[in-house]
Amino acid sequence: MARLTSRFLVDLLLRRTEAAGGFAAVLVRGDDHAGSILVQCAERGRPGPLLERRFSPTGDYVWEAVGPDDPDDGESRANYRERRQTADPDLWIVELDIADAPRLVAEWAALT
């Protein structure tokens, strides 16, 4: 089965978030075909976890919480995002501001 492109997956996530009444934006555009995806979650402007789509040893994609444990530590989060972007120039960084963003990502991931 063909894999869905990163661009398609990001567009789908943006549409699902907006359809659910949330705000979604691409902060950094990565490679359209094979870029990794980092989601910066928030709820009413308050920072939440960072989630990253990663390839697992079983051959599937999984979503993992990454970065600093304290979402309120803006400097550490910014440093983490910068390090990831430097290490992976194909990385997409997407911001979601919606109630229970991790749940929305999990539901979206189950569709893909």
Side-chain angles (χ1 to χ4, degrees):
M1 184 168 116
R3 288 191 184 151
L4 301 174
T5 67
S6 298
R7 169 74 186 264
F8 179 84
L9 294 171
V10 167
D11 287 346
L12 180 62
L13 182 58
L14 297 175
R15 287 188 188 104
R16 278 187 66 81
T17 302
E18 291 168 358
F23 169 81
V26 174
L27 302 178
V28 176
R29 183 180 169 149
D31 181 76
D32 283 348
H33 299 286
S36 298
I37 303 170
L38 176 69
V39 175
Q40 179 174 294
C41 300
E43 186 170 346
R44 296 184 180 173
R46 181 140 169 89
L50 295 173
L51 304 173
E52 188 166 352
R53 182 175 184 250
R54 296 189 173 175
F55 199 64
S56 76
T58 63
D60 297 322
Y61 284 99
V62 296
W63 284 89
E64 295 178 335
V66 295
D69 291 331
D70 181 7
D72 291 321
D73 186 351
E75 184 176 344
S76 292
R77 287 170 64 94
N79 289 338
Y80 178 80
R81 289 188 308 266
E82 185 177 318
R83 284 193 314 273
R84 282 294 297 121
Q85 193 175 0
T86 300
D88 183 1
D90 297 332
L91 179 71
W92 288 79
I93 301 178
V94 178
E95 181 175 15
L96 305 182
D97 194 333
I98 188 167
D100 201 6
R103 179 193 51 78
L104 181 97
V105 170
E107 288 174 359
W108 165 78
L111 298 174
T112 59

